[in-house]
Amino acid sequence: MSDNSTELLHQVATSEYKYGFVTDIESEKAAIGLSEDTVRFISAKKNEPEWLLEWRLKAYRHFVSLMELGETPDWAHLRIPEIDFQAISYYSAPKKKPEYESLNEVDPELLNTFKRLGIPVQEQERLVGIVVDVVMDSVSVTTTFNAELDKNGIIFCSFGEAVQKHPELIKKYLGRVVPYTDNFYAALNSAVFSDGSFCYIPKGVRCPVELSTYFRINESGTGQFERTLIVVEDGSYVSYLEGCTAPQRDENQLHAAVVEIIAMDDAEVKYSTIQNWYPGNADGVGGIFNFVTKRGICEGNRSKISWTQLETGSSITWKYPSCILKGDDSVGEFYSVAFTKGRQQADTGTKMIHLGKNTSSTIISKGISAGNSQNAYRGLVRMTAGAENGRNFSQCDSMLLGDRCGAHTYPYLEILNPSAKVEHEATTSKVGEDQIFYCKQRGISEIDAIKLIVNGFCKEILAQLPMEFAVEARNLLAIELEGSVG
Amino acid sequence: MLEIQNLHVSIEEDGTEILKGLNLKVGKGEVHAIMGPNGSGKSTLASVLAGKDGYEITAGSVIFDGADLLEMEADLRAREGLFLAFQYPIELPGVSMANFLKQAVTSVREHQGKETLSAGDLLKLMKEKAALVHLDPSLKSRSVNEGFSGGEKKRNEIFQLAMLDPKFAILDETDSGLDIDALRIVADGVNSLRSPSRSFLVITHYQRLLDYIVPDFVHVLMNGRIVMTGGKELALELEEKGYDWIKDETALLA
């Protein structure tokens, strides 16, 4: 790279986070620290039934035993500073717990926040018909379009509300795909999860709108422990969108979410994410630790779960949206773009666990690293003994912007059935000086050339996103690349 | 239009001097051919004029339409109306021709104070110009140069030339790797783009291309310098005798 290109890439890689601001809404916080009392406090605050409290407490005890054994996950290609779990406040809810008839009653501060994020809630409602369940800090603030959903028997509400209104469903499915014993952060989440979303699509219903939830951390020093549960019955379909931007912070914030998806016979779930949590400043100070457990089970025959993600934020990302392909002929997909810059670290990928016959999975992962960042793909494909005729195709491409960043690929293949077929392709490329020169020779500026090339690289993934989300995704990538020039 | 004086250029990496005092003057609307043996510095000249990194200009000047060309970044040179048809066109996976040309045409036109083309007008223009070099209009949704055959890549360069409407176009060995039919298509495309307001610098190893694109002047580049200049008949002479006789003659002069 020429000095010029290197300098520009450096500027790109250190560009400031554009969504750094704090909304001034009073909130109610739990006392700092983690104990059985904290768990009881959260459960009581949310007026939960006894069985759920018991479940939380079991999770808490499991978490404590892992802590005592020193079993924090350390296998990823990440350097995670020691987290003081006693220095975190585990519950925060906006003080004015609102129940709105219309958005006009919503705290104007909040609406303003969304405006600055470029998410005009009203516009979205009217023009796009997206149902937005806005999670601000930990408690659901608005849920809209419920009438339309009700008509189809669809349940889409905050997790807390679901616990009150549909306890039988929660009791049946909570922890089914991600038990609290699954891993360290899943245990923590299960003990202290504050809120999240619940989605239930009854038999034979194609959800008429894309369900969308915007998560947002807004309270200094507050951990965010979301819990999402999606259950799709026989022959049903839902497309679920999750997007996040977080305000600028000086201290690290822990985000340990759990998402569980259950797809019955012939059901299909499309789960799309744009993740743009605060990544920390140019020196790597501050920023979100994003330690997420996302997993879906294709419980029924011919069911399908598809994960699409654009990961641009967080100082550390540790995330492997996975599929358990239990039903025969079920399908799992994972499409990912992970962009890291500055001192961001990402270790992300998927697990495709083939149990049923004729199951197939596709993995396409694109990692883009800039600045001093480290970007790893880690993926497991397991063909169990019963996975007759299992198929997998994996493609992992990495692109480097500059020469101070790293890209890594860790594929794990476990094939226990001789009829299974697994293909894996991996490439690493540098944004070529030749490519940039070619664009410049056509009058395109260097930064626009980099944007074009990176967008081209990600094209097949972004094309998987629902239309309006794809536009947001491209904008986000462009902003991320723009840097201080542009 | 273009005046090169005493141009000395070395490779940045190892300091090897490639151009050793090159002089060349190209007037408005003229077509100049540069011929020379392998390693004489032809492609270096094209790259340096287009503003590619990796070269050090140790002496000399290049004035382009009254301005100091060497002071400009590559993208500015392009916007000022200098075009290079690449010998080896670069692939841009996932970047559609339509998107690529939209950005290129928009930035060039904006710089030249021309009004921005609407998406519809741009597509119309693409269709029209693609026809010049017999490219299928479906090319607009293909990734830039990806999966293009050798001939398509070269035709695509001339197509882009037509789209960007430059004042000065450099064709760097545009004939290499083309069969006779493809060569004719490319040459016809170029000839249709000749005009009193556009100059061409045609770099080639073989005389063959010049049967179709007839130059006003032919220069022989050897060992980093223009050692001989003549009319179109010089090309034929070179074809017949090779380059060695010039070597001998210039050795005599030196």
PDB file of all heavy atoms in Angstrom, chain A residues 412-427:
ATOM      1  N   TYR A 412     -14.121 -26.073  12.239  1.00  0.00           N
ATOM      2  CA  TYR A 412     -14.084 -27.379  12.902  1.00  0.00           C
ATOM      3  C   TYR A 412     -15.075 -28.286  12.183  1.00  0.00           C
ATOM      4  O   TYR A 412     -16.243 -27.931  12.039  1.00  0.00           O
ATOM      5  CB  TYR A 412     -14.519 -27.266  14.363  1.00  0.00           C
ATOM      6  CG  TYR A 412     -13.727 -26.281  15.190  1.00  0.00           C
ATOM      7  CD1 TYR A 412     -14.060 -24.929  15.181  1.00  0.00           C
ATOM      8  CD2 TYR A 412     -12.661 -26.703  15.985  1.00  0.00           C
ATOM      9  CE1 TYR A 412     -13.338 -24.018  15.938  1.00  0.00           C
ATOM     10  CE2 TYR A 412     -11.933 -25.802  16.743  1.00  0.00           C
ATOM     11  CZ  TYR A 412     -12.276 -24.459  16.721  1.00  0.00           C
ATOM     12  OH  TYR A 412     -11.565 -23.550  17.471  1.00  0.00           O
ATOM     13  N   LEU A 413     -14.602 -29.420  11.728  1.00  0.00           N
ATOM     14  CA  LEU A 413     -15.485 -30.343  11.023  1.00  0.00           C
ATOM     15  C   LEU A 413     -15.489 -31.670  11.765  1.00  0.00           C
ATOM     16  O   LEU A 413     -14.430 -32.229  12.031  1.00  0.00           O
ATOM     17  CB  LEU A 413     -14.992 -30.563   9.586  1.00  0.00           C
ATOM     18  CG  LEU A 413     -14.777 -29.307   8.735  1.00  0.00           C
ATOM     19  CD1 LEU A 413     -14.147 -29.679   7.390  1.00  0.00           C
ATOM     20  CD2 LEU A 413     -16.091 -28.583   8.497  1.00  0.00           C
ATOM     21  N   GLU A 414     -16.665 -32.146  12.112  1.00  0.00           N
ATOM     22  CA  GLU A 414     -16.764 -33.457  12.761  1.00  0.00           C
ATOM     23  C   GLU A 414     -17.745 -34.299  11.967  1.00  0.00           C
ATOM     24  O   GLU A 414     -18.940 -34.021  11.973  1.00  0.00           O
ATOM     25  CB  GLU A 414     -17.264 -33.296  14.202  1.00  0.00           C
ATOM     26  CG  GLU A 414     -16.289 -32.519  15.077  1.00  0.00           C
ATOM     27  CD  GLU A 414     -16.874 -32.258  16.464  1.00  0.00           C
ATOM     28  OE1 GLU A 414     -17.859 -32.915  16.848  1.00  0.00           O
ATOM     29  OE2 GLU A 414     -16.329 -31.386  17.156  1.00  0.00           O
ATOM     30  N   ILE A 415     -17.235 -35.270  11.286  1.00  0.00           N
ATOM     31  CA  ILE A 415     -18.075 -36.055  10.386  1.00  0.00           C
ATOM     32  C   ILE A 415     -18.168 -37.487  10.915  1.00  0.00           C
ATOM     33  O   ILE A 415     -17.190 -38.219  10.897  1.00  0.00           O
ATOM     34  CB  ILE A 415     -17.482 -36.111   8.952  1.00  0.00           C
ATOM     35  CG1 ILE A 415     -16.881 -34.765   8.553  1.00  0.00           C
ATOM     36  CG2 ILE A 415     -18.529 -36.597   7.962  1.00  0.00           C
ATOM     37  CD1 ILE A 415     -17.846 -33.675   8.312  1.00  0.00           C
ATOM     38  N   LEU A 416     -19.339 -37.852  11.393  1.00  0.00           N
ATOM     39  CA  LEU A 416     -19.504 -39.197  11.952  1.00  0.00           C
ATOM     40  C   LEU A 416     -20.405 -40.063  11.087  1.00  0.00           C
ATOM     41  O   LEU A 416     -20.729 -41.180  11.441  1.00  0.00           O
ATOM     42  CB  LEU A 416     -20.080 -39.096  13.372  1.00  0.00           C
ATOM     43  CG  LEU A 416     -19.161 -38.344  14.350  1.00  0.00           C
ATOM     44  CD1 LEU A 416     -19.883 -38.062  15.648  1.00  0.00           C
ATOM     45  CD2 LEU A 416     -17.886 -39.134  14.604  1.00  0.00           C
ATOM     46  N   ASN A 417     -20.832 -39.504   9.954  1.00  0.00           N
ATOM     47  CA  ASN A 417     -21.655 -40.308   9.046  1.00  0.00           C
ATOM     48  C   ASN A 417     -21.007 -40.293   7.665  1.00  0.00           C
ATOM     49  O   ASN A 417     -20.781 -39.234   7.087  1.00  0.00           O
ATOM     50  CB  ASN A 417     -23.072 -39.728   8.967  1.00  0.00           C
ATOM     51  CG  ASN A 417     -23.984 -40.591   8.134  1.00  0.00           C
ATOM     52  OD1 ASN A 417     -23.682 -40.916   6.993  1.00  0.00           O
ATOM     53  ND2 ASN A 417     -25.110 -40.994   8.721  1.00  0.00           N
ATOM     54  N   PRO A 418     -20.692 -41.488   7.146  1.00  0.00           N
ATOM     55  CA  PRO A 418     -19.926 -41.551   5.887  1.00  0.00           C
ATOM     56  C   PRO A 418     -20.680 -41.030   4.671  1.00  0.00           C
ATOM     57  O   PRO A 418     -20.060 -40.716   3.654  1.00  0.00           O
ATOM     58  CB  PRO A 418     -19.621 -43.050   5.737  1.00  0.00           C
ATOM     59  CG  PRO A 418     -20.598 -43.752   6.615  1.00  0.00           C
ATOM     60  CD  PRO A 418     -20.985 -42.812   7.711  1.00  0.00           C
ATOM     61  N   SER A 419     -22.010 -40.918   4.748  1.00  0.00           N
ATOM     62  CA  SER A 419     -22.741 -40.436   3.575  1.00  0.00           C
ATOM     63  C   SER A 419     -22.807 -38.908   3.539  1.00  0.00           C
ATOM     64  O   SER A 419     -23.320 -38.319   2.592  1.00  0.00           O
ATOM     65  CB  SER A 419     -24.167 -41.009   3.570  1.00  0.00           C
ATOM     66  OG  SER A 419     -24.899 -40.477   4.655  1.00  0.00           O
ATOM     67  N   ALA A 420     -22.307 -38.259   4.572  1.00  0.00           N
ATOM     68  CA  ALA A 420     -22.384 -36.795   4.635  1.00  0.00           C
ATOM     69  C   ALA A 420     -21.348 -36.154   3.714  1.00  0.00           C
ATOM     70  O   ALA A 420     -20.293 -36.724   3.466  1.00  0.00           O
ATOM     71  CB  ALA A 420     -22.169 -36.335   6.066  1.00  0.00           C
ATOM     72  N   LYS A 421     -21.698 -34.984   3.220  1.00  0.00           N
ATOM     73  CA  LYS A 421     -20.762 -34.242   2.366  1.00  0.00           C
ATOM     74  C   LYS A 421     -20.557 -32.847   2.917  1.00  0.00           C
ATOM     75  O   LYS A 421     -21.529 -32.134   3.186  1.00  0.00           O
ATOM     76  CB  LYS A 421     -21.310 -34.135   0.947  1.00  0.00           C
ATOM     77  CG  LYS A 421     -21.039 -35.353   0.120  1.00  0.00           C
ATOM     78  CD  LYS A 421     -21.092 -35.048  -1.367  1.00  0.00           C
ATOM     79  CE  LYS A 421     -20.859 -36.309  -2.173  1.00  0.00           C
ATOM     80  NZ  LYS A 421     -21.878 -36.559  -3.169  1.00  0.00           N
ATOM     81  N   VAL A 422     -19.311 -32.487   3.075  1.00  0.00           N
ATOM     82  CA  VAL A 422     -18.992 -31.190   3.648  1.00  0.00           C
ATOM     83  C   VAL A 422     -17.966 -30.502   2.760  1.00  0.00           C
ATOM     84  O   VAL A 422     -16.959 -31.094   2.387  1.00  0.00           O
ATOM     85  CB  VAL A 422     -18.414 -31.346   5.079  1.00  0.00           C
ATOM     86  CG1 VAL A 422     -17.975 -30.009   5.625  1.00  0.00           C
ATOM     87  CG2 VAL A 422     -19.451 -31.991   5.991  1.00  0.00           C
ATOM     88  N   GLU A 423     -18.282 -29.271   2.390  1.00  0.00           N
ATOM     89  CA  GLU A 423     -17.328 -28.503   1.579  1.00  0.00           C
ATOM     90  C   GLU A 423     -16.926 -27.249   2.324  1.00  0.00           C
ATOM     91  O   GLU A 423     -17.779 -26.580   2.920  1.00  0.00           O
ATOM     92  CB  GLU A 423     -17.998 -28.019   0.284  1.00  0.00           C
ATOM     93  CG  GLU A 423     -18.208 -29.053  -0.771  1.00  0.00           C
ATOM     94  CD  GLU A 423     -18.949 -28.409  -1.948  1.00  0.00           C
ATOM     95  OE1 GLU A 423     -18.351 -27.594  -2.659  1.00  0.00           O
ATOM     96  OE2 GLU A 423     -20.144 -28.718  -2.101  1.00  0.00           O
ATOM     97  N   HIS A 424     -15.668 -26.933   2.288  1.00  0.00           N
ATOM     98  CA  HIS A 424     -15.228 -25.708   2.951  1.00  0.00           C
ATOM     99  C   HIS A 424     -14.278 -24.927   2.044  1.00  0.00           C
ATOM    100  O   HIS A 424     -13.334 -25.480   1.515  1.00  0.00           O
ATOM    101  CB  HIS A 424     -14.521 -26.042   4.263  1.00  0.00           C
ATOM    102  CG  HIS A 424     -14.076 -24.818   5.016  1.00  0.00           C
ATOM    103  ND1 HIS A 424     -14.877 -24.197   5.941  1.00  0.00           N
ATOM    104  CD2 HIS A 424     -12.946 -24.092   4.948  1.00  0.00           C
ATOM    105  CE1 HIS A 424     -14.246 -23.134   6.414  1.00  0.00           C
ATOM    106  NE2 HIS A 424     -13.079 -23.053   5.833  1.00  0.00           N
ATOM    107  N   GLU A 425     -14.587 -23.633   1.875  1.00  0.00           N
ATOM    108  CA  GLU A 425     -13.694 -22.784   1.090  1.00  0.00           C
ATOM    109  C   GLU A 425     -13.329 -21.578   1.918  1.00  0.00           C
ATOM    110  O   GLU A 425     -14.177 -21.036   2.621  1.00  0.00           O
ATOM    111  CB  GLU A 425     -14.390 -22.278  -0.185  1.00  0.00           C
ATOM    112  CG  GLU A 425     -14.653 -23.350  -1.208  1.00  0.00           C
ATOM    113  CD  GLU A 425     -15.457 -22.824  -2.398  1.00  0.00           C
ATOM    114  OE1 GLU A 425     -15.677 -21.598  -2.475  1.00  0.00           O
ATOM    115  OE2 GLU A 425     -15.865 -23.648  -3.217  1.00  0.00           O
ATOM    116  N   ALA A 426     -12.096 -21.165   1.841  1.00  0.00           N
ATOM    117  CA  ALA A 426     -11.693 -19.971   2.592  1.00  0.00           C
ATOM    118  C   ALA A 426     -10.723 -19.151   1.763  1.00  0.00           C
ATOM    119  O   ALA A 426      -9.872 -19.685   1.063  1.00  0.00           O
ATOM    120  CB  ALA A 426     -11.034 -20.366   3.909  1.00  0.00           C
ATOM    121  N   THR A 427     -10.898 -17.829   1.804  1.00  0.00           N
ATOM    122  CA  THR A 427      -9.949 -16.949   1.125  1.00  0.00           C
ATOM    123  C   THR A 427      -9.620 -15.774   2.031  1.00  0.00           C
ATOM    124  O   THR A 427     -10.408 -15.387   2.884  1.00  0.00           O
ATOM    125  CB  THR A 427     -10.528 -16.341  -0.176  1.00  0.00           C
ATOM    126  OG1 THR A 427     -11.619 -15.475   0.183  1.00  0.00           O
ATOM    127  CG2 THR A 427     -11.012 -17.393  -1.142  1.00  0.00           C
TER     128      THR A 427
END
